[in-house]
Amino acid sequence: MNNPPCTPLSPEEETALMKVFSSRILCWDSQGLTDDEEALARKFFQPIVFFRQCSEDRQARRCVCTSCMEGFYAHKQTASDFFRSTHGKRCICPNCGQQSTLAAMGKFSNFSSLTSRERAVQLRTSGDWLLIQAGWITRTFDHEDLGGYLVFEPFRRYAFAPGRRMMWSRQTVSWFGDHHPDGPWTRENSIREPFQPRPYEREASYIPLDFDALARSPLRWCQYDRWFDDTYGCYVGGLDFEDEPFRIAYLMQYLAEYTRRPQMEFLVKLGHFDILKDLILNKKPHGNLLNWDAKTPPAFFRMTKQEYRVFAAAGLGINDLKSFRQARKPGVGLGEFLQARAACALELNNVLRRCTESGVGLSKAVRYLISQGDAEEMARYWRDYLDAAKKLDYDLSRPDVVMPKDLLTRHDEAVAAIKTLEDKQAEKAYISRFRRLTEQFTFQLDGLCVRVPQSIREIVSEGTTLRHCVAGYAERHMRGKVTILFLRKLKNPEAPYVTMELTTEENPRKLRIVQIHGFRNDREASEPPEVRHKDFLTTWLNWVHSGSPRREDGVPDIPETAEAQQGIA
């Protein structure tokens, strides 16, 4: 989906709006900020305590703090910790208690090195319009005022009204390393966020100035604050915001979508936040599933009133709706779908896909899986079995082949047959990988050892003995897509005991255990292997994270400390 397009605006309307932007409605003084906005913006800049040693009393410092915006004297006798800090180090302001950076005034001829910027958006209302300016707030210092000057320079403008939206921008130019807006305002064709995220950021957040203007505008029912709270866990405008203000994100994208999709209001009120997250964060409106022209929730979800009541009562989301649409094609009702969902859980989509491919009804497939054991677990075996059966050219038109009486046995036989037919080149290519993995992971301690699989057949045998699905990972392990390791008892190292899957990062310090399972995925065990063998796994992971050091005789050189427990996922 592209960015929301701007709506038509007559030249007279555009001229009037630009006059409002340029008037004192948005810019109350030469810095472009009201006193309240300046006070809020200062909270986002790094606090600095400037000091100069008193010449008449070497035990005292004359200070100015940018947090409390006050000048004061600090005495060593009453603020000993403060005097232990030196220029450029962290300190606690003796006057307001704010954690700050200490700066010696004598170190600066000018203060250009302390210039900093913050992204901000400024909201105002004018008639039926919500007007927003976005730009940079720059903080500078000079010897006249060590509290710092704040100047807001906008380079994006937005106008929102019910069913209408517009955006203007102007270029920024660099003067001796400083970026400043310059040039005329130009109308854009679509609405986009004012800032781009930095490489280390998930989103480009910004300071909200006069956010209460949204509640005074015709868009007051847009529910942005509730959506933001659900997405990020912060309620804009609440008491927490007053005490510890925070940045917001995606306001322009949200408002632009709301002006053309007013259904967003009832989606928030009904708790369908997942739909809005996909719309705002991923730009996915799911038009094939949802009717954005509808006026009521049932029509929006393309359901009857009864179906929607059941859908909402079950707490279903957009992913469940996708699955239901897939199941509905062969005529599955919502009640039947919910029963299958309860039984198959996360494997439901897998079961639906296999039902479509094999022509088996959903209810019949679910009953079959339940008869074989835990439906969710059996669904994974069924998937692997049917994939193997296709490769082996089984006659999948026969019901007894599609749904064999003993699924686990037929599954293991099919997987083993597939592995037997594997190209011998794969095992030849695995030789160098096997040697590298052996050097990196082979380890023994306290009656346990870690082994590397020698072949595809050994992984298949591991899955057959322990009754889990590791055989399905064998080919990917051979190709280096996953890493499978065996945890064995030293007294019987050839007998399968516990199987592990590791991540495949090049950096050994980032390696983590993805999953670890024993017999039948430990369903009948008193405690899982990651708990039962915690000390061994901790020591082993710490050794791997250290680069798998070995002594001259090849024995692992085990570090004295082991802090790798966070690697067990």
Side-chain angles (χ1 to χ4, degrees), residues 165-398:
R165 55 202 165 270
M166 183 53 62
M167 175 182 176
W168 299 266
S169 63
R170 58 175 174 172
Q171 293 182 337
T172 56
V173 297
S174 176
W175 299 335
F176 307 105
D178 293 331
H179 294 268
H180 298 277
D182 189 40
W185 291 96
T186 304
R187 186 194 297 191
E188 299 286 345
N189 294 323
S190 60
I191 304 293
R192 64 181 187 275
E193 283 292 306
F195 307 98
Q196 292 296 316
R198 300 181 180 99
Y200 54 84
E201 293 179 320
R202 187 176 66 173
E203 60 275 305
S205 57
Y206 32 78
I207 302 170
L209 302 175
D210 193 13
F211 185 79
D212 290 343
L214 179 59
R216 302 191 299 268
S217 75
L219 305 182
R220 63 178 67 90
W221 310 115
C222 71
Q223 310 295 321
Y224 172 82
D225 49 357
R226 291 180 59 184
W227 171 82
F228 188 85
D229 182 31
D230 180 81
T231 304
Y232 295 99
C234 304
Y235 190 78
V236 189
L239 294 177
D240 291 341
F241 182 81
E242 295 178 6
D243 295 336
E244 296 183 15
F246 46 81
R247 297 169 180 83
I248 64 173
Y250 296 109
L251 177 61
M252 298 339 127
Q253 183 76 19
Y254 190 96
L255 293 176
E257 290 293 350
Y258 178 70
T259 57
R260 66 171 179 168
R261 304 181 195 272
Q263 299 88 351
M264 291 167 62
E265 179 185 343
F266 68 65
L267 289 177
V268 171
K269 291 180 178 179
L270 293 172
H272 298 296
F273 292 102
D274 56 339
I275 295 174
L276 296 185
K277 286 179 183 177
D278 258 7
L279 175 66
I280 304 302
L281 304 184
N282 303 321
K283 298 183 178 181
K284 294 181 179 180
H286 298 293
N288 59 326
L289 300 174
L290 308 171
N291 178 12
W292 287 100
D293 295 322
K295 304 297 183 183
T296 64
F300 177 80
F301 287 96
R302 305 181 193 273
M303 296 179 176
T304 65
K305 291 182 179 180
Q306 177 61 27
E307 283 180 328
Y308 177 72
R309 279 196 292 269
V310 175
F311 180 86
L316 304 185
I318 188 65
N319 291 328
D320 298 303
L321 184 62
K322 292 178 185 177
S323 301
F324 176 56
R325 289 284 185 266
Q326 181 181 350
R328 203 177 193 180
K329 292 178 181 178
V332 174
L334 185 56
E336 182 182 353
F337 170 80
L338 290 176
Q339 291 176 356
R341 179 178 179 270
C344 300
L346 297 178
E347 291 296 320
L348 177 60
N349 286 336
N350 163 40
V351 173
L352 287 170
R353 185 161 55 253
R354 305 303 164 179
C355 287
T356 301
E357 293 173 354
S358 59
V360 177
L362 179 60
S363 295
K364 185 176 182 179
V366 172
R367 289 194 299 271
Y368 167 70
L369 295 173
I370 292 174
S371 71
Q372 298 293 314
D374 179 79
E376 183 178 9
E377 181 182 9
M378 291 302 110
R380 290 191 285 269
Y381 284 106
W382 195 39
R383 174 196 62 200
D384 294 344
Y385 163 73
L386 290 177
D387 287 343
K390 283 183 181 179
K391 294 179 182 179
L392 296 169
D393 292 327
Y394 285 7
D395 185 3
L396 294 177
S397 64
R398 293 173 47 186

Side-chain angles (χ1 to χ4, degrees), residues 373-444:
D374 179 79
E376 183 178 9
E377 181 182 9
M378 291 302 110
R380 290 191 285 269
Y381 284 106
W382 195 39
R383 174 196 62 200
D384 294 344
Y385 163 73
L386 290 177
D387 287 343
K390 283 183 181 179
K391 294 179 182 179
L392 296 169
D393 292 327
Y394 285 7
D395 185 3
L396 294 177
S397 64
R398 293 173 47 186
D400 62 324
V401 175
V402 174
M403 295 184 291
K405 289 183 178 181
D406 190 343
L407 175 60
L408 292 177
T409 300
R410 295 296 299 276
H411 165 274
D412 293 341
E413 290 174 352
V415 170
I418 285 290
K419 301 314 172 187
T420 302
L421 296 175
E422 287 288 337
D423 188 354
K424 296 297 181 181
Q425 294 298 322
E427 293 197 3
K428 288 182 180 180
Y430 178 61
I431 294 175
S432 61
R433 171 169 161 80
F434 173 76
R435 290 172 180 168
R436 180 173 61 81
L437 294 180
T438 299
E439 180 69 21
Q440 185 176 13
F441 296 119
T442 301
F443 184 88
Q444 63 182 47

